[in-house]
Amino acid sequence: MKVPRNKRLMGKRNPRRNRQRFGGFFLFILVGVFLLFVFRFSYIVISGHVNDENLTKKASALYESSTVLRAKRGTIYDANGTEIAEDSTTYSVYAVLDKNYTGINHKKLYVTDKAKVAKVLSQYLPLDRAAILKRLNPANDKTFQVEFGSAGKGLSLTIKQAIEKANLNGIYFTETPARLYPNGIFASHQIGLAQTNTKATKVANAQNLVGIMGLEKTLNSTLAGTNGVKEVKEDSYGYQLPNTKAKKKAAKNGKNVYLTLDSRLQTYLETLMSNVQTKYQPKQLNAVLMNPKTGQILAASQRPTFNPETGSGLGNFWRDTLVGDSYEPGSVMKTFTLAAAIDKGKYQPNTNYQSGQITIGGTTIHDWNQTGWGSIPLSKAFPLSSNVGFVHIEQALGKDNWLNYIKKFQFLSKTNSLLSGEANGSIQYEHTSDQAVTSFGQGINVTVMQMMQGFSAIANDGKEMQPQIVSKVVDPVTGKTTKYKPHQVATPISKSTASQVLSAMEDVTYKDYGTGTAYQIPGYKIATKTGTAQISNANGAGYMTGDNNYIFSVVGMAPASDPKYVLYITMKQPQDMSQSATEILSEIFNPLMKRALDYDAGDTTTESKTMMPNITGKSVSAATAALKKENLQAVQIGTGDTVVQQMPLANEVILDDQRALILTNGAMTMPDVTGWSKSDVLKLAELTGKQITIKGTGYVTKQSLSEKSLLNSAKTITVTLSKP
């Protein structure tokens, strides 16, 4: 039956029925959502998980605080127990500027007096007030905090405490583990470097010191130790929650390492090396002093080098050239050729030969003076350093015998002296001419430490000792000591042979025709052998030409009758050849060898008169008085009243007319350098970290930055030297 149209319209227009239907539907949805929520909540409560996360652990973590208990890195000591590398802490300063940074009772924790902050910080940082104020007023007014660049980093505890005494609002410090190298340039590539390395751990981002070069790297696991951790439950204010206990796992400190280096000799060597480097500018310079009876390295250094305390020179040269560089040794190799021939019974000292030149395998070999000395006995070939004579000796010895002795002396193999980056060396031995030239140190590549190892056999009755730079490792907690005993690696020659070679080395020093007469030291008998090695061209085709394109060297053993010291020095391509190579090397060899022999004889009078006092941390007035007592002129660099660094370093050997540079807290200032030598100017650059351009030779007559001006006020500093 058809419903009338007016009744259908009335049904649609019934609002009460529509609300009831809509309400019922909404109630159904609401109940469904509620039941779903109840089910979900019950599941979370029962399981303790949501989205695969453990809520119990997550909630607990909100109240748990974990702190790394940093292990102390082991200290490196010299042979006499003097610290060479030790753990320290440095600080970085920063300023909070955000005015919303407040504490309890709305205490202001941001910078409130920028003028006062700039005044105080300028006294302790190498920045002036204007530079500090500029940082405290950044262009972005929403900046939360600002730092002060490198000037605000690496601060000592003394400087941090001095700044804190001023009670500056908004000034804070971050703490960073650091490695302290109190001796500055001191066998830098051999000791190496440890720097901070941030590692993500389960407890925090812990900063650890990690060795990145030298012994710091090779002995990193020994020195590093193991970090501990402290876990505690805290409230939102940082207080420990009641009825909770802190969990603590103690840190295990690293072990201490004792070296064979003698600080007295090492420091003196560094001074001598720096002087030669400054005066003659060789591209490379190496020196090692060793006890041949034990193989212990008493002093070792190289140039270029760096100061691990200031970072000066670090970016220029990372390689330890004593083990990492292989080179043709030149005529010092004749020491081993002679030893092999004597030991094999193939040396005929009274047999004459025609010096000057000889042709072997189609190659003509010349003596160093080209024309030679006419017909002379083989006994003169060694003191005269005759290449032709040693070709004859090698021919008599035989190629197989000679190669066998090269291997007996442990060439072509690493010494495993614990220094990092050691090379094996190599030899070119295919043709007759190759075999001949190895007799005088060409066609064979060696390292300095391989040479030192070989020299020990000559100086130690034929017993060859492994070079040793670590003497012992000590656990600071248990006291357990691991000693590194002297290790004999071979006996390549007899005692009689070693004695005869030493006698021939004496001839080099004392015969009027010997090449080593410059190395005579009054009061002591010295056995030496000199060397001049050609340098291969970069493309491998032939050798470089020019008077300075050589590796000049000398090895000396003393006392010659029973050597207690072997000193080997190499110098590559000196740019200033104002003296002969022999005279240049003698400026290192003679004073260092004499100092070692004097110490051995019990004569320490020189040392007591020439050691630089320790003035770091003292007031400027006290430091000046201490230097005046040593007849040294103090040169102040900085506006502060406390010495933070010094040059020369404490206990360093002081030479005549040497200036003492003292860097104070406060902004660094330019001293009057008129009359200074180039060496003094370079020390100023090293101490301040500033790039100083040096023009001319002689002594300073002009400086682009006037006295007492702030060093940071000039991008470049130029000084002009003139000869008097």
Side-chain angles (χ1 to χ4, degrees):
M1 181 178 68
K2 188 173 181 182
V3 179
R5 182 172 179 272
N6 61 339
K7 287 187 177 183
R8 293 200 307 270
L9 292 174
M10 287 178 64
K12 289 182 179 179
R13 292 173 182 173
N14 189 332
R16 183 175 181 182
R17 182 181 299 173
N18 290 341
R19 284 197 300 270
Q20 286 176 342
R21 288 178 178 174
F22 179 78
F25 176 75
F26 181 76
L27 180 63
F28 175 79
I29 296 297
L30 187 65
V31 170
V33 171
F34 178 75
L35 290 174
L36 181 63
F37 175 78
V38 170
F39 174 79
R40 177 65 171 166
F41 182 77
S42 299
Y43 170 78
I44 292 173
V45 171
I46 294 171
S47 67
H49 287 75
V50 60
N51 295 331
D52 295 326
E53 289 196 45
N54 190 316
L55 294 182
T56 303
K57 290 184 178 180
K58 200 170 183 68
S60 179
L62 294 174
Y63 299 97
E64 287 184 355
S65 173
S66 297
T67 305
V68 172
L69 303 177
R70 194 174 67 85
K72 179 182 177 183
R73 189 174 178 86
T75 301
I76 300 178
Y77 296 94
D78 84 331
N80 301 312
T82 302
E83 293 90 348
I84 297 174
E86 56 185 320
D87 252 16
S88 180
T89 301
T90 60
Y91 302 88
S92 298
V93 63
Y94 66 95
V96 174
L97 305 178
D98 191 338
K99 294 182 179 180
N100 294 316
Y101 191 56
T102 57
I104 300 174
N105 298 325
H106 303 288
K107 181 181 178 181
K108 297 175 180 178
L109 302 178
Y110 55 88
V111 173
T112 56
D113 190 340
K114 294 181 179 180
K116 182 181 179 182
V117 168
K119 179 182 178 181
V120 173
L121 292 186
S122 68
Q123 297 173 7
Y124 299 100
L125 305 184
L127 290 173
D128 58 23
R129 293 190 195 185
I132 295 173
L133 279 172
K134 185 176 180 181
R135 289 178 182 267
L136 293 175
N137 293 284
N140 184 357
D141 57 4
K142 294 183 179 180
T143 301
F144 180 79
Q145 69 181 54
V146 294
E147 298 177 353
F148 300 92
S150 59
K153 296 179 180 178
L155 306 181
S156 68
L157 177 61
T158 302
I159 291 179
K160 172 181 177 286
Q161 291 173 336
I163 294 173
E164 287 176 331
K165 282 183 180 179
N167 296 316
L168 302 173
N169 270 19
I171 295 300
Y172 303 95
F173 297 87
T174 57
E175 182 179 301
T176 304
R179 196 67 162 162
L180 179 64
Y181 299 91
N183 298 315
I185 294 174
F186 185 98
S188 301
H189 283 84
Q190 291 71 54
I191 303 301
L193 193 67
Q195 294 182 335
T196 53
N197 178 41
T198 302
K199 269 188 173 180
T201 68
K202 292 181 180 180
V203 294
N205 286 332
Q207 288 185 313
N208 298 301
L209 286 167
V210 177
I212 59 173
M213 65 183 295
L215 291 170
E216 291 272 29
K217 179 180 179 180
T218 56
L219 297 177
N220 186 67
S221 59
T222 300
L223 291 162
T226 305
N227 286 342
V229 63
K230 179 181 179 181
E231 294 181 347
V232 62
K233 293 189 176 182
E234 299 175 342
D235 60 19
S236 58
Y237 293 99
Y239 296 104
Q240 184 173 338
L241 294 174
N243 301 319
T244 62
K245 290 184 179 181
K247 297 179 181 179
K248 184 177 179 181
K249 180 182 178 183
K252 185 178 180 181
N253 291 335
K255 297 176 182 178
N256 298 326
V257 174
Y258 289 77
L259 306 184
T260 61
L261 298 177
D262 185 324
S263 288
R264 303 171 303 172
L265 297 171
Q266 181 68 43
T267 303
Y268 192 38
L269 173 60
E270 298 293 0
T271 301
L272 297 169
M273 294 275 282
S274 292
N275 288 339
V276 166
Q277 177 71 22
T278 300
K279 289 166 66 176
Y280 306 108
Q281 301 169 47
K283 289 191 175 179
Q284 286 187 30
L285 187 65
N286 296 319
V288 180
L289 179 69
M290 182 178 74
N291 177 347
K293 308 298 183 186
T294 62
Q296 292 183 339
I297 304 300
L298 306 175
S301 185
Q302 70 178 66
R303 295 293 183 276
T305 189
F306 68 95
N307 186 330
E309 190 65 18
T310 65
S312 176
L314 181 60
N316 299 332
F317 205 89
W318 281 66
R319 193 170 66 255
D320 181 351
T321 55
L322 303 185
V323 291
D325 279 14
S326 57
Y327 60 97
E328 295 185 359
S331 291
V332 288
M333 193 72 186
K334 292 170 182 173
T335 306
F336 302 108
T337 313
L338 179 63
I342 293 173
D343 200 65
K344 197 64 179 178
K346 300 294 185 179
Y347 179 53
Q348 303 296 326
N350 298 320
T351 299
N352 280 20
Y353 73 98
Q354 184 63 38
S355 62
Q357 68 179 48
I358 186 173
T359 300
I360 297 289
T363 299
T364 300
I365 296 167
H366 295 271
D367 278 321
W368 57 268
N369 68 347
Q370 299 297 316
T371 58
W373 304 267
S375 179
I376 57 174
L378 283 173
S379 59
K380 284 191 174 183
F382 191 72
L384 284 169
S385 200
S386 168
N387 293 342
V388 174
F390 271 80
V391 170
H392 284 289
I393 291 173
E394 185 272 333
Q395 295 288 296
L397 178 59
K399 64 174 184 178
D400 293 336
N401 285 331
W402 174 221
L403 182 60
N404 187 39
Y405 272 94
I406 287 172
K407 293 177 179 179
K408 276 188 175 184
F409 276 109
Q410 307 301 302
F411 291 112
L412 314 181
S413 300
K414 295 179 181 179
T415 65
N416 297 315
S417 57
L418 291 181
L419 297 175
S420 60
E422 188 168 14
N424 286 306
S426 60
I427 191 170
Q428 188 173 330
Y429 210 72
E430 183 179 352
H431 303 293
T432 305
S433 58
D434 297 335
Q435 298 150 15
V437 298
T438 57
S439 68
F440 53 87
Q442 286 183 205
I444 181 170
N445 287 285
V446 301
T447 67
V448 169
M449 281 302 168
Q450 285 176 337
M451 294 294 281
M452 293 304 298
Q453 185 169 263
F455 289 140
S456 70
I458 308 297
N460 189 33
D461 297 333
K463 292 175 285 189
E464 187 167 338
M465 307 302 293
Q466 180 186 50
Q468 179 185 347
I469 197 167
V470 177
S471 64
K472 62 182 178 181
V473 173
V474 179
D475 188 314
V477 178
T478 65
K480 182 181 177 182
T481 301
T482 303
K483 292 186 177 180
Y484 287 70
K485 296 180 180 179
H487 175 55
Q488 182 180 340
V489 296
T491 309
I493 56 174
S494 68
K495 179 178 180 180
S496 173
T497 297
S499 178
Q500 291 179 66
V501 175
L502 278 170
S503 179
M505 292 176 72
E506 281 191 68
D507 289 345
V508 175
T509 313
Y510 297 102
K511 294 293 187 183
D512 56 5
Y513 51 82
T515 59
T517 56
Y519 303 109
Q520 295 178 17
I521 300 175
Y524 299 102
K525 275 286 186 180
I526 314 295
T528 63
K529 183 67 191 83
T530 60
T532 305
Q534 292 179 291
I535 303 173
S536 298
N537 284 311
N539 59 10
Y543 291 94
M544 298 177 71
T545 58
D547 291 342
N548 69 328
N549 285 326
Y550 294 91
I551 296 176
F552 303 99
S553 61
V554 61
V555 60
M557 305 178 186
S561 58
D562 185 19
K564 296 180 180 179
Y565 301 101
V566 174
L567 175 57
Y568 179 45
I569 308 171
T570 69
M571 175 178 65
K572 182 179 181 180
Q573 295 173 288
Q575 301 304 292
D576 183 347
M577 287 286 285
S578 54
Q579 299 287 340
S580 69
T582 301
E583 290 296 331
I584 295 173
L585 293 178
S586 71
E587 292 184 22
I588 299 174
F589 182 94
N590 292 28
L592 182 62
M593 183 64 90
K594 185 178 188 303
R595 180 65 59 89
L597 292 167
D598 285 348
Y599 285 159
D600 192 61
D603 180 4
T604 58
T605 55
T606 306
E607 175 189 8
S608 62
K609 294 178 181 178
T610 59
M611 303 304 284
M612 175 72 178
N614 184 3
I615 55 174
T616 301
K618 292 185 177 181
S619 67
V620 171
S621 58
T624 303
L627 294 171
K628 187 176 181 181
K629 202 172 180 181
E630 298 293 337
N631 297 317
L632 287 170
Q633 177 187 358
V635 178
Q636 182 175 343
I637 304 163
T639 59
D641 56 4
T642 303
V643 179
V644 294
Q645 286 188 53
Q646 65 182 79
M647 183 78 68
L649 298 167
N651 301 319
E652 188 171 323
V653 176
I654 303 168
L655 301 181
D656 293 339
D657 302 322
Q658 192 166 346
R659 287 178 173 82
L661 310 184
I662 55 176
L663 181 64
T664 72
N665 53 344
M668 290 189 292
T669 53
M670 182 71 180
D672 180 4
V673 297
T674 303
W676 286 27
S677 66
K678 180 179 178 181
S679 175
D680 288 334
V681 175
L682 290 174
K683 287 172 183 173
L684 174 64
E686 180 183 340
L687 185 65
T688 61
K690 298 299 177 183
Q691 185 70 37
I692 300 178
T693 302
I694 301 173
K695 295 183 177 180
T697 58
Y699 297 91
V700 178
T701 55
K702 294 180 182 179
Q703 59 189 81
S704 63
L705 188 64
S706 61
E707 180 186 4
K708 295 184 180 179
S709 297
L710 293 174
L711 286 174
N712 285 339
S713 65
K715 292 183 178 180
T716 60
I717 302 172
T718 303
V719 298
T720 304
L721 280 63
S722 300
K723 291 185 177 179

